[in-house]
Amino acid sequence: MSQKLDRRKKYTRKVLKDSLITLLANKSLSSITVKEICELADINRSTFYTHYTDHYDLLHKIEDEITEDMNRYLHSYDYEKEEESLQMTEKILEYITENRLMFQTLLNHQSAPTFEKRLMDLTRNFMINTWPRANELRTEESKYLSSFVISGAIHVIKEWIAQDLKESPREMAEMINQFINNGLSYFE
């Protein structure tokens, strides 16, 4: 019986998340109501409130889930090894591909103004703590360098999504890693 409830709970949360993302693709978060989310999800409002306090809480939980997934991917590979770094980037890009609408919507500042910053903070902390040469830099340099690299990668990913994911996750992972590792010398 509890397994049935767990499946139902997972289903309810999934349709509520999907409904919010669908609405966010066309409207700002502040103009969305719980009633609209529930109507689109075909869930009653009391059920919504058993899972979330409001639509801001729902968005925060979506962001938490993505952050946890991304963190797991980041820490499941040895970043210092070139091949594993490439695999990690590819795995993250595959995750983005599988959740394209969600990332396209959440990386839009009008839809979810905090999401990109959360991704920046997560990857910055990872980079500073795992990049072998980070210790050689002053704290400020390390922060600026990580911001430069991560914001560049995020904007490349946003452009990739806008271009209908023309390249495969593997091709994009190779490109991003080349940009990070070789910078402007990539074009020489």
Side-chain angles (χ1 to χ4, degrees):
M1 181 71 172
S2 69
Q3 194 175 24
K4 187 176 184 179
L5 286 176
D6 286 345
R7 279 198 322 248
R8 205 176 319 164
K9 195 184 254 188
K10 284 180 185 177
Y11 171 78
T12 300
R13 289 180 179 169
K14 181 182 178 348
V15 295
L16 289 170
K17 289 174 188 176
D18 291 347
S19 296
L20 177 60
I21 294 299
T22 299
L23 291 167
L24 277 174
N26 300 308
K27 302 172 81 166
S28 69
L29 183 61
S30 60
S31 65
I32 295 172
T33 65
V34 170
K35 181 180 178 186
E36 287 176 294
I37 296 168
C38 292
E39 285 175 357
L40 188 57
D42 198 24
I43 303 285
N44 67 48
R45 287 174 56 181
S46 63
T47 301
F48 177 94
Y49 288 115
T50 61
H51 296 277
Y52 306 103
T53 56
D54 57 22
H55 57 300
Y56 294 97
D57 181 41
L58 172 56
L59 178 60
H60 189 74
K61 295 289 192 302
I62 293 169
E63 290 178 357
D64 285 347
E65 186 178 300
I66 293 170
T67 303
E68 288 171 22
D69 290 344
M70 299 289 277
N71 198 32
R72 190 172 49 254
Y73 293 137
L74 290 172
H75 287 90
S76 61
Y77 295 94
D78 185 349
Y79 182 72
E80 292 182 44
K81 296 179 181 172
E82 179 73 26
E83 186 56 35
E84 287 199 33
S85 176
L86 184 62
Q87 290 171 349
M88 175 188 67
T89 306
E90 183 178 8
K91 187 70 174 167
I92 289 169
L93 293 170
E94 287 170 355
Y95 178 73
I96 291 170
T97 301
E98 292 165 8
N99 299 284
R100 178 186 177 177
L101 178 61
M102 186 173 0
F103 276 92
Q104 186 173 21
T105 302
L106 295 179
L107 286 171
N108 177 344
H109 285 288
Q110 285 92 14
S111 299
T114 61
F115 181 68
E116 189 171 326
K117 181 172 179 358
R118 287 183 76 177
L119 285 182
M120 288 280 298
D121 291 343
L122 170 74
T123 49
R124 177 185 296 117
N125 289 335
F126 173 78
M127 187 175 176
I128 288 172
N129 292 325
T130 60
W131 190 48
R133 291 183 278 178
N135 294 331
E136 298 169 17
L137 301 173
R138 292 190 331 246
T139 304
E140 300 84 33
E141 287 175 327
S142 182
K143 287 180 185 175
Y144 291 134
L145 177 60
S146 61
S147 292
F148 180 79
V149 168
I150 295 161
S151 64
I154 288 173
H155 282 80
V156 165
I157 290 167
K158 288 167 77 169
E159 182 67 24
W160 178 54
I161 292 169
Q163 297 297 320
D164 292 326
L165 310 172
K166 284 193 299 189
E167 295 80 8
S168 70
R170 180 67 178 200
E171 290 170 318
M172 286 307 296
E174 289 171 352
M175 197 181 312
I176 289 170
N177 281 16
Q178 284 294 322
F179 292 162
I180 291 169
N181 293 330
N182 300 327
L184 292 175
S185 65
Y186 175 79
F187 296 102
E188 293 176 352

